[in-house]
Amino acid sequence: MMSLNEISFSQIVLNQVKWKMKAYSQSIIILILIQITVSILFSGGNITMGGGFNEVNINIHYYTLDSYIILSCIWALVIAILMQTNGYRHDDYAVITTRYTASLANVIVLFVYSFIATIISFMTLYILIALIQVVGNIAVMKEYTLFEFVHFGLAFFIILLAASIGYLIGSIFKLSKGLGILMVVLAVIFTAILNVQPEALLVNFFFNTGYLSFMLKALFTCILLFVSSIFILSRKEVNRR
Amino acid sequence: MIGVPEIICHQVEKRYRNKRVLHSLTCSINKGKLSGLIGRNGAGKSTLLKLLAGHLKPTNGEITVFGECPFNNLKTASNIMFVEEGMTFPPLFTVLDIFKMAKDFYPNWQHELAKRLLDYANIPTNAFHHNLSKGQKSTFNLIYGLASRCTISLLDEPMNGMDESIRTDMYRAILKEYIAYPRTIIISSHHLNEMEHLLEEIILIDNGQIKLHASLDDVQQMLVRLRGDINLIRKLTSDMEVFFEKEDLFHYEVVVERNKIDEKLLQTMNILVQPVTASEVCKFMTSKGKGGIDDVFK
């Protein structure tokens, strides 16, 4: 008679992370393609300022990370929501899994993917700047150091925040579509009645006390959102058809 | 250790919103048995298997597998393989990638056996699961389930969509795997007759309850068919439960419990006593009326 398999929680989570990274790898290619497309079509979404004096016209183009980070945030949000759809969730049950191992593996994958998305965002900007100098023969002046760990950390946590928000939205809609819609409606009514600007509130909350404080607040918020999502989905049944 | 119940269901009830699918379901399945879960469409077979696999949680009652509740339980998840039609795999993976993934998860994974079975079933290793035909998907899912060699294998309608020859082969593959590495296998199906030769015991489920749980031999001996003179048979069976009744111009037949009749006495009365197959037993025990479909046309 066969004996029972004894497999640890961490071993299962690590295996799931390994295979989920492969399974969702196309999403990274999609992000790269989006970033390249935006770079080609909109020159990286640069800001242009023009001015003139007598016969001299000066146009100053600012090439920043902002547009790439925003794109990565939208990408992370969508990927995190998609992870909660039936198609992806049911794939988990083809191998050894519980709701906790699958959710934890998803969270780790989102951490890793957010990190990769940050690298891609930086790299796209560097490639764009290099191309402008080489192909366009235009001199580029740097306003800040091209790479700073603090900027990298900021970008990473902004993308991770988007991913954790997406994961929570996906979890709420997974639990109940009605509840998801109700929460969105309530949020809209709340902002309309109180005449508050949620983005202003969020920016104020996260950024008013410096970069390090932002990173700590972002990390704490992400953990809170991910734990809430894991808890929400821990009792969810599976019905593959 | 054979004989110790590995799966225990006690007064299990399962509801989907207002629909009650299982109710007061109680059963225990011993270690190392190859059982058939038989029932009509909508009887609750798939729901019971999903509960055992931990995919669903019971509305009421208690389920224990290896002494623990299977819902959200890593120990049971590590030792149960649940094969069903709706199994999906990451769309980016070829069937060979899926096998490699399984190798990482299942300690007893039989990689070479899985590849040989795949080759036998003419499924290319570079094919994608979602591109396979319905029969090929079922074949692949079953190969996946067998090669994982888990302590408990739950096979929900594993032969759906397969052609005649591969069905026969796959039943043989299940049997060979079971003989070589005995474990608990539960196969749900509507078609008992084609897998009767494999089974040790039969669990008959009807309207969300266990109607019968017995060894195949017991089920085969349970009922008999009596054919002969209508008046004589009606008189003899007047105080018996009749499971099936058919009357035509020349014959009259009924199906009754074997232990309620005296075969020697019937032979002297020129009444023919015929055996009833396990498949027919299940059919009769879950029929609405005594006359089957003929009753509808009366």
Side-chain angles (χ1 to χ4, degrees), chain B residues 87-197:
Chain B
M87 267 180 121
T88 59
F89 298 90
L92 213 60
F93 294 172
T94 63
V95 291
L96 193 62
D97 290 333
I98 296 169
F99 283 171
K100 284 177 187 164
M101 175 173 74
K103 203 175 171 182
D104 264 5
F105 282 90
Y106 295 99
N108 299 330
W109 176 256
Q110 301 300 306
H111 202 67
E112 287 310 311
L113 174 71
K115 282 207 290 190
R116 285 202 304 273
L117 284 170
L118 206 62
D119 183 44
Y120 182 81
N122 275 329
I123 300 174
T125 49
N126 60 355
F128 292 97
H129 185 263
H130 58 274
N131 287 342
L132 298 176
S133 70
K134 192 181 177 187
Q136 283 179 318
K137 261 185 200 162
S138 297
T139 310
F140 174 83
N141 294 349
L142 185 56
I143 292 170
Y144 184 81
L146 289 177
S148 67
R149 238 173 236 178
C150 283
T151 317
I152 295 180
S153 298
L154 307 172
L155 313 176
D156 188 11
E157 307 274 0
M159 308 296 173
N160 263 1
M162 287 186 203
D163 63 50
E164 187 74 35
S165 77
I166 198 81
R167 282 167 98 92
T168 317
D169 288 338
M170 284 296 131
Y171 278 126
R172 188 149 179 80
I174 294 173
L175 187 62
K176 286 184 93 70
E177 258 298 298
Y178 175 70
I179 292 167
Y181 298 92
R183 62 237 209 206
T184 307
I185 300 179
I186 303 176
I187 312 173
S188 90
S189 179
H190 314 283
H191 311 290
L192 176 58
N193 50 350
E194 65 179 28
M195 62 171 191
E196 216 176 291
H197 62 286

Side-chain angles (χ1 to χ4, degrees), chain B residues 187-253:
Chain B
I187 312 173
S188 90
S189 179
H190 314 283
H191 311 290
L192 176 58
N193 50 350
E194 65 179 28
M195 62 171 191
E196 216 176 291
H197 62 286
L198 303 180
L199 304 175
E200 287 177 283
E201 60 177 31
I202 286 171
I203 305 160
L204 180 64
I205 187 165
D206 188 39
N207 286 326
Q209 282 187 309
I210 301 289
K211 189 102 177 182
L212 174 74
H213 185 179
S215 71
L216 182 70
D217 291 341
D218 288 347
V219 176
Q220 284 168 335
Q221 296 297 316
M222 193 169 278
L223 304 180
V224 284
R225 180 180 280 108
L226 308 181
R227 300 182 79 175
D229 180 68
I230 182 167
N231 295 324
L232 209 53
I233 292 178
R234 277 198 170 149
K235 193 179 166 190
L236 276 166
T237 58
S238 59
D239 58 343
M240 291 180 201
E241 186 183 356
V242 174
F243 291 90
F244 179 73
E245 187 178 29
K246 189 179 171 189
E247 183 185 350
D248 57 33
L249 283 174
F250 309 104
H251 299 105
Y252 177 70
E253 66 177 63

Side-chain angles (χ1 to χ4, degrees), chain A:
Chain A
M1 194 59 60
M2 293 172 70
S3 57
L4 293 182
N5 295 327
E6 296 282 347
I7 307 169
S8 69
F9 185 87
S10 57
Q11 198 182 338
I12 291 295
V13 172
L14 283 176
N15 274 338
Q16 286 187 350
V17 169
K18 176 184 162 187
W19 287 96
K20 275 172 189 277
M21 295 281 288
K22 284 186 186 176
Y24 306 155
S25 58
Q26 269 186 340
S27 60
I28 296 284
I29 295 164
I30 290 169
L31 176 66
I32 294 171
L33 289 176
I34 293 170
Q35 304 273 32
I36 291 171
T37 312
V38 168
S39 296
I40 293 168
L41 295 180
F42 308 106
S43 297
N46 69 77
I47 305 156
T48 308
M49 288 172 76
F53 179 74
N54 289 340
E55 296 295 309
V56 182
N57 279 319
I58 300 170
N59 287 316
I60 304 168
H61 299 270
Y62 286 93
Y63 294 96
T64 72
L65 262 177
D66 297 358
S67 52
Y68 298 117
I69 300 294
I70 291 167
L71 279 174
S72 296
C73 284
I74 296 167
W75 169 85
L77 188 93
V78 173
I79 295 293
I81 292 172
L82 284 178
M83 273 184 171
Q84 307 284 29
T85 53
N86 276 344
Y88 287 102
R89 265 171 54 82
H90 289 176
D91 289 349
D92 293 338
Y93 289 84
V95 289
I96 298 170
T97 194
T98 66
R99 285 139 195 89
Y100 296 117
T101 58
S103 295
L104 196 57
N106 282 343
V107 170
I108 295 171
V109 169
L110 285 175
F111 259 85
V112 176
Y113 273 17
S114 298
F115 190 78
I116 295 171
T118 315
I119 295 172
I120 290 171
S121 302
F122 274 77
M123 290 307 292
T124 320
L125 180 69
Y126 295 160
I127 291 167
L128 179 71
I129 291 169
L131 281 174
I132 287 166
Q133 296 194 80
V134 174
V135 180
N137 204 19
I138 299 166
V140 178
M141 294 157 66
K142 56 179 193 286
E143 205 168 42
Y144 300 101
T145 316
L146 265 179
F147 182 83
E148 277 188 33
F149 280 107
V150 175
H151 291 165
F152 190 86
L154 281 175
F156 168 70
F157 279 109
I158 290 169
I159 296 169
L160 189 64
L161 265 175
S164 61
I165 291 166
Y167 202 68
L168 183 69
I169 292 171
S171 306
I172 293 169
F173 272 88
K174 188 79 222 146
L175 185 71
S176 158
K177 286 189 180 70
L179 186 66
I181 293 165
L182 184 73
M183 289 191 75
V184 172
V185 171
L186 282 177
V188 171
I189 292 170
F190 175 75
T191 51
I193 289 174
L194 296 179
N195 198 23
V196 288
Q197 289 176 300
E199 66 277 10
L201 275 178
L202 287 174
V203 169
N204 204 27
F205 169 73
F206 282 114
F207 289 100
N208 66 349
T209 49
Y211 289 163
L212 187 67
S213 164
F214 161 75
M215 284 192 245
L216 287 173
K217 281 177 185 171
L219 181 65
F220 180 74
T221 311
C222 288
I223 291 171
L224 194 72
L225 296 181
F226 281 134
V227 169
S228 308
S229 307
I230 292 172
F231 179 74
I232 287 170
L233 290 177
S234 67
R235 306 299 293 165
K236 188 75 188 159
E237 295 187 324
V238 180
N239 224 338
R240 300 184 293 195
R241 287 174 201 279

Side-chain angles (χ1 to χ4, degrees), chain B residues 9 12 22 25 27 33 54 62 87 111 121 143 145 167 208 211 229 237 248 250 258 278 284 287-288 290:
Chain B
C9 300
V12 174
L22 300 179
L25 187 141
C27 69
K33 290 277 183 193
E62 193 187 12
M87 267 180 121
H111 202 67
I143 292 170
R167 282 167 98 92
K211 189 102 177 182
D229 180 68
T237 58
D248 57 33
F250 309 104
R258 184 183 288 270
F284 295 144
S287 290
K288 270 189 174 176
K290 289 176 191 172

